[in-house]
Amino acid sequence: MNYGQFLNMIPEATLMAILVVVFIVDFIFHSKDDRKHSALYLTTAVLLLGQCAVCAVAEPAEAFAGMYVSTASVNIMKLILTAGTLVVVIMSQSWLRSQEVGNKDGEFYMLVISTLLGMYMMMSSGHFLLFFLGLEMASVPMACLVALNKLRKESAEGAAKFILTASFSSGVMLYGISFIYAATGTLYFDDTVARLTISPLTIVGLAFFFSGLGFKISLVPFHFWTADTYQGAPTAVTGYLSVVSKGAAAFTLMAILMKVFAPMVEYWEYILYIVIVLSITIANLFAIRQTELKRFMAFSSISQAGYIMLAVVGNSALGVTALTYYVLVYVVANMSVFTVINVVETRGGGNTKMNCYDGFYKTNPKLSFLMTLALFSLAGIPPFAGMFSKFFVFMAAAQEGSFLAYFVVFIALINTVVSLYYYLLIVKAMYIKPCDTPLPTFQSDCNSKLALAICTAGIVLFGVCSCIFDWISVAAN
């Protein structure tokens, strides 16, 4: 084996080096004082910022006879997910310094980086086994993150449901991959697409494979674990799970469907039609009924996953661009919401019940305003970036040209109005709904302010700076 091929895996190699450095820093600063917290935080934040630069300049590469394949669009997605991870690290500081976490900030950073490394491998895979290894590298540390707060029984319950569902979905996926291998005799993506023929064996393999990844993305009907896990996990982990993990899984599913299962496009497009309509509609209806904000955001993320998968319907380069751009906008909007939730939970003495935000504008007008901007972007209200991201996925799906594609886009447009209603319920609570005992006035910590500034800038600028979409489009083509 030529070990020099590892040099072609520059983003993964540098991220592995970051993991080692963070471990060493955590080992050196074994005390529980502020010096350890500051050293770990600054080291992780600076190194992740450097990792963003590495992903931005990384060139397309291939290693190990095609098992590892990194394209320009993959490198852009790695950059987006790394930037999202950096925002999670910044916004989590108030929680990491609280009594309930104790001295676990080092473990938190290492688990987050390990999960991100698994996502890198998953997106750059050119072989089913490497894809599966990357998926498990991302899933197992994520379960540890959900259970990080051992003092809350909800956290342990959420982690148990997550790991059981992840194990079941991995088994279903492996079963589907075994059918594909039996039909083609290979696990390499390029060889599989050349040998793939439509038969009962490959159709069953496609169905099981799609079902396995459907669990990871929280598509209906594979979504039952989502609300309980989101509610039980620490808020920072919930934000990470909702944007970074979902974005990596959606991008990988799109790449494999378009590349490996291209000869079976008429089959998986019908599956997508059904799953997209169910995900958007059912999630919207359940979101209206929620009284707990993290469960509300769980059903919001299920609905957003349906919109993300609309980009895959067209099976085109525009779909790749639209999905990548949608994930970029979704990261900044959703992380802005979760940053406000985290601030209210840790510094405002509040909980995550929606009624605790009644009259929030009277005591904390700035946080209310930033929360409103993020919710408007998630709902797709112009001129925020969320409106443009939804427009591009609608356009990518409509390019397919069939009656069913137009019908799915029409259903998605109707559900956009429904989603606007339930997002405005939170805005109504903050600005209009009266409350005798609103949350007290409090100051956000500097790190939360920085995270909110980054996310709000993205919400405003990503919709008007066309160069960003053009940059993603060039990479996809």
Side-chain angles (χ1 to χ4, degrees):
M1 179 187 293
N2 180 13
Y3 291 99
Q5 294 183 85
F6 283 109
L7 296 177
N8 294 336
M9 306 168 63
I10 295 298
E12 287 75 14
T14 53
L15 192 60
M16 188 66 206
I18 291 173
L19 180 61
V20 173
V21 171
V22 171
F23 173 79
I24 293 173
V25 172
D26 185 40
F27 180 77
I28 293 174
F29 292 91
H30 59 278
S31 60
K32 298 182 180 180
D33 56 9
D34 288 338
R35 189 173 57 167
K36 175 187 176 180
H37 291 298
S38 300
L40 277 171
Y41 168 52
L42 290 175
T43 301
T44 307
V46 170
L47 291 177
L48 283 177
L49 186 62
Q51 180 68 18
C52 291
V54 170
C55 295
V57 301
E59 297 291 335
E62 183 176 318
F64 303 106
M67 289 190 72
Y68 174 90
V69 180
S70 184
T71 63
S73 58
V74 169
N75 289 331
I76 289 178
M77 183 57 75
K78 289 178 182 177
L79 169 60
I80 294 171
L81 299 184
T82 306
T85 305
L86 177 59
V87 174
V88 171
V89 169
I90 294 172
M91 63 87 74
S92 64
Q93 292 308 301
S94 59
W95 167 68
L96 288 175
R97 293 172 184 262
S98 63
Q99 291 295 326
E100 68 176 20
V101 180
N103 196 33
K104 300 176 186 172
D105 47 345
E107 289 92 331
F108 173 77
Y109 296 136
M110 285 184 280
L111 288 171
V112 165
I113 295 170
S114 299
T115 305
L116 186 62
L117 179 61
M119 295 175 194
Y120 275 21
M121 300 300 296
M122 183 172 63
M123 292 187 295
S124 295
S125 58
H127 190 278
F128 275 113
L129 286 185
L130 185 62
F131 157 75
F132 181 74
L133 288 175
L135 185 66
E136 293 306 298
M137 286 172 62
S139 298
V140 176
M142 184 63 74
C144 298
L145 284 171
V146 174
L148 194 62
N149 186 359
K150 294 188 292 185
L151 299 179
R152 295 181 62 219
K153 64 178 183 179
E154 294 88 355
S155 185
E157 180 185 350
K161 290 181 178 179
F162 178 82
I163 196 64
L164 288 173
T165 306
S167 301
F168 175 74
S169 62
S170 297
V172 170
M173 186 185 304
L174 275 180
Y175 193 47
I177 292 174
S178 68
F179 278 105
I180 301 301
Y181 178 72
T184 62
T186 182
L187 292 175
Y188 283 95
F189 289 171
D190 290 337
D191 295 337
T192 299
V193 68
R195 303 178 188 179
L196 196 66
T197 57
I198 298 176
S199 66
L201 200 63
T202 55
I203 293 174
V204 172
L206 169 63
F208 277 112
F209 178 81
F210 186 93
S211 300
L213 262 184
F215 279 103
K216 309 296 183 182
I217 308 174
S218 305
L219 295 169
V220 175
F222 316 110
H223 67 291
F224 294 102
W225 61 274
T226 310
D228 292 329
T229 300
Y230 278 37
Q231 183 181 4
T235 302
V237 176
T238 304
Y240 183 71
L241 182 62
S242 69
V243 292
V244 180
S245 177
K246 191 181 296 293
F251 184 86
T252 306
L253 177 59
M254 175 195 66
I256 293 178
L257 288 178
M258 288 185 174
K259 184 176 182 180
V260 181
F261 294 103
M264 305 177 66
V265 61
E266 65 270 22
Y267 289 90
W268 57 256
E269 278 194 343
Y270 283 120
I271 297 176
L272 276 178
Y273 293 148
I274 297 171
V275 168
I276 288 170
V277 171
L278 289 177
S279 298
I280 297 176
T281 305
I282 293 177
N284 283 348
L285 295 177
F286 273 86
I288 296 174
R289 298 165 52 89
Q290 301 306 310
T291 58
E292 207 276 341
L293 195 52
K294 286 164 73 174
R295 293 184 71 88
F296 170 87
M297 293 304 297
F299 286 103
S300 167
S301 73
I302 296 170
S303 175
Q304 297 289 345
Y307 285 108
I308 290 174
M309 297 313 296
L310 268 175
V312 188
V313 169
N315 193 28
S316 62
L318 177 60
V320 179
T321 306
L323 186 144
T324 307
Y325 182 73
Y326 197 104
V327 171
L328 172 64
V329 174
Y330 180 58
V331 165
V332 293
N334 225 40
M335 284 311 305
S336 183
V337 173
F338 277 107
T339 301
V340 175
I341 296 173
N342 185 64
V343 171
V344 171
E345 188 179 10
T346 57
R347 298 184 68 87
N351 51 39
T352 56
K353 293 290 184 181
M354 292 178 66
N355 58 12
C356 81
Y357 287 81
D358 293 348
F360 190 50
Y361 176 76
K362 295 180 181 178
T363 55
N364 296 274
K366 293 180 181 178
L367 285 178
S368 301
F369 177 70
L370 296 179
M371 181 87 150
T372 302
L373 293 183
L375 292 171
F376 281 177
S377 182
L378 288 173
I381 297 177
F384 304 109
M387 186 274 288
F388 296 97
S389 63
K390 279 187 168 59
F391 170 77
F392 288 124
V393 295
F394 290 157
M395 188 167 63
Q399 267 198 339
E400 205 275 334
S402 67
F403 170 78
L404 280 176
Y406 289 134
F407 176 75
V408 171
V409 172
F410 176 71
I411 296 296
L413 283 169
I414 294 176
N415 275 280
T416 302
V417 179
V418 179
S419 67
L420 174 60
Y421 167 74
Y422 64 72
Y423 285 127
L424 286 177
L425 290 176
I426 303 178
V427 179
K428 175 186 175 183
M430 293 189 297
Y431 285 87
I432 301 174
K433 202 169 182 180
C435 182
D436 296 331
T437 57
L439 288 173
T441 302
F442 56 86
Q443 287 290 328
S444 305
D445 61 288
C446 294
N447 293 301
S448 296
K449 290 179 180 178
L450 176 59
L452 284 171
I454 295 171
C455 294
T456 305
I459 291 170
V460 175
L461 295 178
F462 290 161
V464 296
C465 296
S466 59
C467 58
I468 296 174
F469 185 84
D470 293 340
W471 175 52
I472 296 173
S473 179
V474 170
N477 289 282

